[in-house]
Amino acid sequence: MGAGFGNSLAGDGFALIAVLAVTGVFLWALVSLRRLRRNEQAARARVAELEIRLNEAETAISAEAHVLVIWHGRGPLPDRVLGSMHGAANLPEDMAALVDFASWLDRDSASALNECLAELRQDGTPFNIAIKSRAGDLLEADGRTAGGLATLRFRPLAGERRNIATLAHEAHRLGNQVERLSAVLDAAPLPVWLRGSDGKLVWVNQSYAAAVDAADADAAVAQGTEIAGRANLDRAGASDATGRMGRIHAVVSGSMRVLDIFEVPVSGGAAGFAIDMTVLEHAEKELDRHIKAHTSTLNKLDTAIAIFGPDQRLKFHNAAYAELWPLDSAWLDSHPTDSEILDRLRNQRCIPEQANYREWKTKQLQAYTTLETRENWWYLPDGRTLHVVCEQHPFGGVTYLYENVTEELLLESRYNELIGVQRETLDNLGEGIALLGSDGRLKLFNPAFARYWQLDATLLATEPHIEELAVHGRRLAAESTAWDEVRYSVTRLDVERKPVTGKIDVSDRVLQFVAVPLPDGNTLLTFADISDSARMERALRDRADALEAADRLKNMFLSNVSYEIRTPLTSILGFAEGLQLGLAGPLTPKQQDYVRDIRRSSTDLKTIIDAIIDLTAIDAGALELKLERVDVTALLEAVAEKLSSLIDDRDLTLNIEVGADVDTLVADAKRVEQILTNLLSNAIGFSDRGATVRMGAKQGRGQLQLWVSDHGRGIDPDFQKQAFDRFQSRPVPGGHRGPGLGLAIVKSFVELHEGQVSLLSKINQGTTVLCTFPLDGPGAAQRPLSSQESRKTA
């Protein structure tokens, strides 16, 4: 990159020298033009004097060589051509060729003569100029008007007149060149100026005027506005050889620019110009930022980097290089040679031990004369391993990369050890394992996989495709489509592949397979022999089916038997009631007791049968609730009235406790009454004579709680969890006995209402059963209120 900038600056120097040369030529031409103009004025004065003398002697010299061209009108061709050159010059004899000046005059003379002749014929402006033919003859062209005539006379020039004409012609030519050169400099994109001997501006170009915000070049010269003050000039890099005075920052056309100022002495003053270096300076700053950024990036790398120049001296090293070797930072900043660094590292025993160190170092330094990249492994005395890469630098010299691969080699060793352990583990697994690559070919397998599918190890070593494995698998499991599912799972192109599971019957065993897509595009297949568990599962399923059939048979039996028993039981109750009413005649007291016992027993039996029927209906999902608005207080009083005879017989006291905010409940009134009847019957049956039984209701958080509490013996803690199960009863000697369906049906009815039931009991302190119902009934959010419910709610 440095060489590139050097070439760029050298090119700029040649360009500056060329500009200086052109400027010098321009100044010389300008001085010469002034001198020629002074000579031309003197010559013209002399020519005028001579012309007077010639006119006076015109008659005397009528024989002088000349050609007179006369135009009477505006036509392009002349009307007459008179005279002859008498061999003094060669002019075309044809009239049309004579006035075609470009055909026999040089370019400048033809152009000047055409312009003068056009002004003569249009405005009557006379002229007298010297012209030059292509043959090299110098002629005088004199134009005049007289009346309606326009005349053009050609005369050869000789003697003093020739010298004067030659000078005039040369002055005209130089004037044209100066004007062209001045136009070029004036249109140059860089500011150019001339100073007089007093140091003041005498001429500037348009770029200069635009740079100083002047109206035009003349205004800039008149105002003497400098493009940059010399006091602010940075003279670093100034050179007398190139004329570079320095660099300055100036506001040009409203923006800050960086200019290099050049000024060289010329005759009568100095010539200067300014080159806009803004882009170059920005590029240099950008390059400097890039170099600093690259240096910062390299310093953050863990890889040690050292760059040596063509002179084998250290040009750059990053922080990792300084940390890799125990070398002094100040010594490294002194740019030691590659050989000196190797010697110091050898003295500190930091590089590999060599039997012939001198020969080894010579081979290392051969990197400066070879183009190929060299890689070496250095095993250091302290146990570290370095991967050293040496390659040629684009600007000459070499670059060393030192990568510490100690941990990498250690990890590789551990990885290989882990792979070996994994291989042994897979080989000793009972499950068949196969790994299929993203190309569908077998990459890994264990002996169990080959054994289950009777595959030859030689075939498996060739990495067969899933299609081959599927064909072989279908031969052993012809009735299963599992291999088709596995093949589709492996070869499908979906972005989201999902695991595939299933079972395959192979010969005398049952295999459970799982095809799991892995994140790297591979697929893992596992085959587990579940023959024993499958047989056990089949046995358990058969047993479950048998139990379900027995349960259905039991429910069917209970339902049929219950209905069959209810019919004669109803007759018994009817006859007993008739006997008790005296329909068959008066009964003795003893007979009255027998009939009462018959009615009580029949009623208990009917209750049990009704409970069994309800439970059977609940199990079958055939029991439907008839929801309505129920007056809670009236319901509690109705239950108490229904069991008042039992309360009186046992001399009990029933307290009904209803919260002040309790009003109605959306529920099946018959089933809620049945719940309370069962709970109150249990409380009465398990209470001592003269005890108090409590029943009540309270409301809160959209729920209604109905509860019944007694102060009886209580329920054993180990039996409380079974209290709500069917046919679970633990009677107290001499106390209440039952079939164990009361609490079971309570629980079933409460849950049908989407409620909950709980039990609190302590030995010798009593039992409390709490039933919680949703206040608006089951499914209140989805069920619209009936018209009757709406009226009660309103």
Side-chain angles (χ1 to χ4, degrees), residues 474-492:
R474 283 194 289 268
R475 293 197 194 103
L476 299 180
E479 298 181 357
S480 175
T481 61
W483 273 106
D484 292 331
E485 297 178 9
V486 171
R487 179 178 58 83
Y488 178 69
S489 175
V490 172
T491 59
R492 66 187 301 181

PDB file of all heavy atoms in Angstrom, residues 474-492:
ATOM      1  N   ARG A 474     -39.211 -55.444   4.917  1.00  0.00           N
ATOM      2  CA  ARG A 474     -40.550 -55.911   4.530  1.00  0.00           C
ATOM      3  C   ARG A 474     -40.583 -57.422   4.312  1.00  0.00           C
ATOM      4  O   ARG A 474     -41.643 -58.033   4.433  1.00  0.00           O
ATOM      5  CB  ARG A 474     -40.998 -55.164   3.272  1.00  0.00           C
ATOM      6  CG  ARG A 474     -41.467 -53.738   3.540  1.00  0.00           C
ATOM      7  CD  ARG A 474     -42.204 -53.172   2.329  1.00  0.00           C
ATOM      8  NE  ARG A 474     -41.286 -52.907   1.232  1.00  0.00           N
ATOM      9  CZ  ARG A 474     -40.689 -51.741   1.019  1.00  0.00           C
ATOM     10  NH1 ARG A 474     -40.905 -50.740   1.854  1.00  0.00           N
ATOM     11  NH2 ARG A 474     -39.879 -51.582  -0.009  1.00  0.00           N
ATOM     12  N   ARG A 475     -39.437 -58.031   4.011  1.00  0.00           N
ATOM     13  CA  ARG A 475     -39.426 -59.487   3.868  1.00  0.00           C
ATOM     14  C   ARG A 475     -39.673 -60.158   5.214  1.00  0.00           C
ATOM     15  O   ARG A 475     -40.329 -61.205   5.287  1.00  0.00           O
ATOM     16  CB  ARG A 475     -38.072 -59.940   3.318  1.00  0.00           C
ATOM     17  CG  ARG A 475     -37.788 -59.507   1.891  1.00  0.00           C
ATOM     18  CD  ARG A 475     -36.662 -60.331   1.298  1.00  0.00           C
ATOM     19  NE  ARG A 475     -36.142 -59.735   0.076  1.00  0.00           N
ATOM     20  CZ  ARG A 475     -35.007 -59.051  -0.006  1.00  0.00           C
ATOM     21  NH1 ARG A 475     -34.260 -58.889   1.080  1.00  0.00           N
ATOM     22  NH2 ARG A 475     -34.612 -58.539  -1.153  1.00  0.00           N
ATOM     23  N   LEU A 476     -39.132 -59.582   6.298  1.00  0.00           N
ATOM     24  CA  LEU A 476     -39.299 -60.177   7.621  1.00  0.00           C
ATOM     25  C   LEU A 476     -40.610 -59.756   8.276  1.00  0.00           C
ATOM     26  O   LEU A 476     -41.100 -60.461   9.164  1.00  0.00           O
ATOM     27  CB  LEU A 476     -38.131 -59.761   8.525  1.00  0.00           C
ATOM     28  CG  LEU A 476     -36.733 -60.194   8.053  1.00  0.00           C
ATOM     29  CD1 LEU A 476     -35.677 -59.714   9.046  1.00  0.00           C
ATOM     30  CD2 LEU A 476     -36.659 -61.709   7.904  1.00  0.00           C
ATOM     31  N   ALA A 477     -41.150 -58.601   7.899  1.00  0.00           N
ATOM     32  CA  ALA A 477     -42.414 -58.119   8.485  1.00  0.00           C
ATOM     33  C   ALA A 477     -43.323 -57.710   7.337  1.00  0.00           C
ATOM     34  O   ALA A 477     -43.581 -56.528   7.105  1.00  0.00           O
ATOM     35  CB  ALA A 477     -42.163 -56.949   9.429  1.00  0.00           C
ATOM     36  N   ALA A 478     -43.808 -58.742   6.621  1.00  0.00           N
ATOM     37  CA  ALA A 478     -44.585 -58.473   5.414  1.00  0.00           C
ATOM     38  C   ALA A 478     -45.913 -57.807   5.716  1.00  0.00           C
ATOM     39  O   ALA A 478     -46.447 -57.055   4.899  1.00  0.00           O
ATOM     40  CB  ALA A 478     -44.802 -59.773   4.644  1.00  0.00           C
ATOM     41  N   GLU A 479     -46.486 -58.086   6.877  1.00  0.00           N
ATOM     42  CA  GLU A 479     -47.819 -57.561   7.191  1.00  0.00           C
ATOM     43  C   GLU A 479     -47.766 -56.171   7.814  1.00  0.00           C
ATOM     44  O   GLU A 479     -48.815 -55.604   8.126  1.00  0.00           O
ATOM     45  CB  GLU A 479     -48.533 -58.527   8.139  1.00  0.00           C
ATOM     46  CG  GLU A 479     -48.768 -59.910   7.536  1.00  0.00           C
ATOM     47  CD  GLU A 479     -49.496 -60.828   8.505  1.00  0.00           C
ATOM     48  OE1 GLU A 479     -49.755 -60.372   9.644  1.00  0.00           O
ATOM     49  OE2 GLU A 479     -49.807 -61.972   8.130  1.00  0.00           O
ATOM     50  N   SER A 480     -46.587 -55.630   8.037  1.00  0.00           N
ATOM     51  CA  SER A 480     -46.460 -54.326   8.693  1.00  0.00           C
ATOM     52  C   SER A 480     -46.016 -53.276   7.679  1.00  0.00           C
ATOM     53  O   SER A 480     -45.245 -53.558   6.763  1.00  0.00           O
ATOM     54  CB  SER A 480     -45.456 -54.401   9.846  1.00  0.00           C
ATOM     55  OG  SER A 480     -45.247 -53.116  10.401  1.00  0.00           O
ATOM     56  N   THR A 481     -46.512 -52.065   7.861  1.00  0.00           N
ATOM     57  CA  THR A 481     -46.120 -50.924   7.010  1.00  0.00           C
ATOM     58  C   THR A 481     -45.119 -50.026   7.736  1.00  0.00           C
ATOM     59  O   THR A 481     -44.900 -48.887   7.328  1.00  0.00           O
ATOM     60  CB  THR A 481     -47.361 -50.105   6.625  1.00  0.00           C
ATOM     61  OG1 THR A 481     -47.989 -49.600   7.832  1.00  0.00           O
ATOM     62  CG2 THR A 481     -48.348 -50.948   5.847  1.00  0.00           C
ATOM     63  N   ALA A 482     -44.530 -50.560   8.803  1.00  0.00           N
ATOM     64  CA  ALA A 482     -43.639 -49.730   9.617  1.00  0.00           C
ATOM     65  C   ALA A 482     -42.439 -49.238   8.818  1.00  0.00           C
ATOM     66  O   ALA A 482     -42.036 -48.077   8.933  1.00  0.00           O
ATOM     67  CB  ALA A 482     -43.179 -50.516  10.841  1.00  0.00           C
ATOM     68  N   TRP A 483     -41.836 -50.124   7.997  1.00  0.00           N
ATOM     69  CA  TRP A 483     -40.654 -49.718   7.244  1.00  0.00           C
ATOM     70  C   TRP A 483     -40.992 -48.640   6.214  1.00  0.00           C
ATOM     71  O   TRP A 483     -40.163 -47.780   5.903  1.00  0.00           O
ATOM     72  CB  TRP A 483     -40.010 -50.922   6.566  1.00  0.00           C
ATOM     73  CG  TRP A 483     -39.033 -51.608   7.467  1.00  0.00           C
ATOM     74  CD1 TRP A 483     -39.194 -52.790   8.118  1.00  0.00           C
ATOM     75  CD2 TRP A 483     -37.730 -51.123   7.826  1.00  0.00           C
ATOM     76  NE1 TRP A 483     -38.089 -53.088   8.866  1.00  0.00           N
ATOM     77  CE2 TRP A 483     -37.152 -52.083   8.701  1.00  0.00           C
ATOM     78  CE3 TRP A 483     -36.986 -50.008   7.496  1.00  0.00           C
ATOM     79  CZ2 TRP A 483     -35.887 -51.938   9.250  1.00  0.00           C
ATOM     80  CZ3 TRP A 483     -35.718 -49.857   8.048  1.00  0.00           C
ATOM     81  CH2 TRP A 483     -35.184 -50.811   8.908  1.00  0.00           C
ATOM     82  N   ASP A 484     -42.206 -48.658   5.683  1.00  0.00           N
ATOM     83  CA  ASP A 484     -42.616 -47.586   4.764  1.00  0.00           C
ATOM     84  C   ASP A 484     -42.691 -46.252   5.501  1.00  0.00           C
ATOM     85  O   ASP A 484     -42.299 -45.205   4.973  1.00  0.00           O
ATOM     86  CB  ASP A 484     -43.972 -47.925   4.136  1.00  0.00           C
ATOM     87  CG  ASP A 484     -43.882 -49.123   3.197  1.00  0.00           C
ATOM     88  OD1 ASP A 484     -42.800 -49.330   2.622  1.00  0.00           O
ATOM     89  OD2 ASP A 484     -44.888 -49.846   3.075  1.00  0.00           O
ATOM     90  N   GLU A 485     -43.207 -46.306   6.751  1.00  0.00           N
ATOM     91  CA  GLU A 485     -43.271 -45.079   7.542  1.00  0.00           C
ATOM     92  C   GLU A 485     -41.873 -44.563   7.862  1.00  0.00           C
ATOM     93  O   GLU A 485     -41.605 -43.349   7.805  1.00  0.00           O
ATOM     94  CB  GLU A 485     -44.050 -45.330   8.831  1.00  0.00           C
ATOM     95  CG  GLU A 485     -45.514 -45.709   8.609  1.00  0.00           C
ATOM     96  CD  GLU A 485     -46.225 -45.996   9.923  1.00  0.00           C
ATOM     97  OE1 GLU A 485     -45.623 -45.733  10.975  1.00  0.00           O
ATOM     98  OE2 GLU A 485     -47.361 -46.499   9.887  1.00  0.00           O
ATOM     99  N   VAL A 486     -40.960 -45.498   8.202  1.00  0.00           N
ATOM    100  CA  VAL A 486     -39.588 -45.089   8.505  1.00  0.00           C
ATOM    101  C   VAL A 486     -38.925 -44.496   7.262  1.00  0.00           C
ATOM    102  O   VAL A 486     -38.246 -43.457   7.321  1.00  0.00           O
ATOM    103  CB  VAL A 486     -38.792 -46.295   9.036  1.00  0.00           C
ATOM    104  CG1 VAL A 486     -37.309 -45.938   9.148  1.00  0.00           C
ATOM    105  CG2 VAL A 486     -39.329 -46.729  10.381  1.00  0.00           C
ATOM    106  N   ARG A 487     -39.103 -45.150   6.118  1.00  0.00           N
ATOM    107  CA  ARG A 487     -38.500 -44.657   4.875  1.00  0.00           C
ATOM    108  C   ARG A 487     -39.023 -43.258   4.535  1.00  0.00           C
ATOM    109  O   ARG A 487     -38.259 -42.362   4.152  1.00  0.00           O
ATOM    110  CB  ARG A 487     -38.824 -45.622   3.741  1.00  0.00           C
ATOM    111  CG  ARG A 487     -38.265 -45.200   2.384  1.00  0.00           C
ATOM    112  CD  ARG A 487     -38.578 -46.236   1.324  1.00  0.00           C
ATOM    113  NE  ARG A 487     -40.016 -46.454   1.207  1.00  0.00           N
ATOM    114  CZ  ARG A 487     -40.845 -45.678   0.494  1.00  0.00           C
ATOM    115  NH1 ARG A 487     -40.369 -44.624  -0.148  1.00  0.00           N
ATOM    116  NH2 ARG A 487     -42.138 -45.943   0.439  1.00  0.00           N
ATOM    117  N   TYR A 488     -40.317 -43.048   4.712  1.00  0.00           N
ATOM    118  CA  TYR A 488     -40.892 -41.736   4.419  1.00  0.00           C
ATOM    119  C   TYR A 488     -40.366 -40.687   5.395  1.00  0.00           C
ATOM    120  O   TYR A 488     -40.084 -39.545   5.013  1.00  0.00           O
ATOM    121  CB  TYR A 488     -42.408 -41.815   4.492  1.00  0.00           C
ATOM    122  CG  TYR A 488     -43.096 -40.480   4.253  1.00  0.00           C
ATOM    123  CD1 TYR A 488     -43.073 -39.877   3.001  1.00  0.00           C
ATOM    124  CD2 TYR A 488     -43.759 -39.827   5.293  1.00  0.00           C
ATOM    125  CE1 TYR A 488     -43.685 -38.655   2.784  1.00  0.00           C
ATOM    126  CE2 TYR A 488     -44.367 -38.600   5.090  1.00  0.00           C
ATOM    127  CZ  TYR A 488     -44.339 -38.025   3.828  1.00  0.00           C
ATOM    128  OH  TYR A 488     -44.947 -36.817   3.632  1.00  0.00           O
ATOM    129  N   SER A 489     -40.189 -41.060   6.665  1.00  0.00           N
ATOM    130  CA  SER A 489     -39.685 -40.121   7.670  1.00  0.00           C
ATOM    131  C   SER A 489     -38.257 -39.703   7.360  1.00  0.00           C
ATOM    132  O   SER A 489     -37.876 -38.547   7.565  1.00  0.00           O
ATOM    133  CB  SER A 489     -39.744 -40.750   9.062  1.00  0.00           C
ATOM    134  OG  SER A 489     -39.153 -39.907  10.032  1.00  0.00           O
ATOM    135  N   VAL A 490     -37.449 -40.625   6.818  1.00  0.00           N
ATOM    136  CA  VAL A 490     -36.048 -40.317   6.530  1.00  0.00           C
ATOM    137  C   VAL A 490     -35.919 -39.472   5.270  1.00  0.00           C
ATOM    138  O   VAL A 490     -35.124 -38.529   5.202  1.00  0.00           O
ATOM    139  CB  VAL A 490     -35.235 -41.619   6.400  1.00  0.00           C
ATOM    140  CG1 VAL A 490     -33.821 -41.326   5.912  1.00  0.00           C
ATOM    141  CG2 VAL A 490     -35.198 -42.339   7.733  1.00  0.00           C
ATOM    142  N   THR A 491     -36.712 -39.761   4.246  1.00  0.00           N
ATOM    143  CA  THR A 491     -36.537 -39.123   2.936  1.00  0.00           C
ATOM    144  C   THR A 491     -37.436 -37.936   2.696  1.00  0.00           C
ATOM    145  O   THR A 491     -37.298 -37.268   1.666  1.00  0.00           O
ATOM    146  CB  THR A 491     -36.789 -40.157   1.822  1.00  0.00           C
ATOM    147  OG1 THR A 491     -38.139 -40.678   1.961  1.00  0.00           O
ATOM    148  CG2 THR A 491     -35.802 -41.304   1.926  1.00  0.00           C
ATOM    149  N   ARG A 492     -38.361 -37.628   3.600  1.00  0.00           N
ATOM    150  CA  ARG A 492     -39.274 -36.519   3.359  1.00  0.00           C
ATOM    151  C   ARG A 492     -38.511 -35.203   3.397  1.00  0.00           C
ATOM    152  O   ARG A 492     -37.494 -35.062   4.082  1.00  0.00           O
ATOM    153  CB  ARG A 492     -40.409 -36.503   4.382  1.00  0.00           C
ATOM    154  CG  ARG A 492     -39.976 -36.225   5.803  1.00  0.00           C
ATOM    155  CD  ARG A 492     -41.098 -36.393   6.802  1.00  0.00           C
ATOM    156  NE  ARG A 492     -42.196 -35.505   6.498  1.00  0.00           N
ATOM    157  CZ  ARG A 492     -43.308 -35.437   7.223  1.00  0.00           C
ATOM    158  NH1 ARG A 492     -43.484 -36.243   8.265  1.00  0.00           N
ATOM    159  NH2 ARG A 492     -44.259 -34.595   6.906  1.00  0.00           N
TER     160      ARG A 492
END
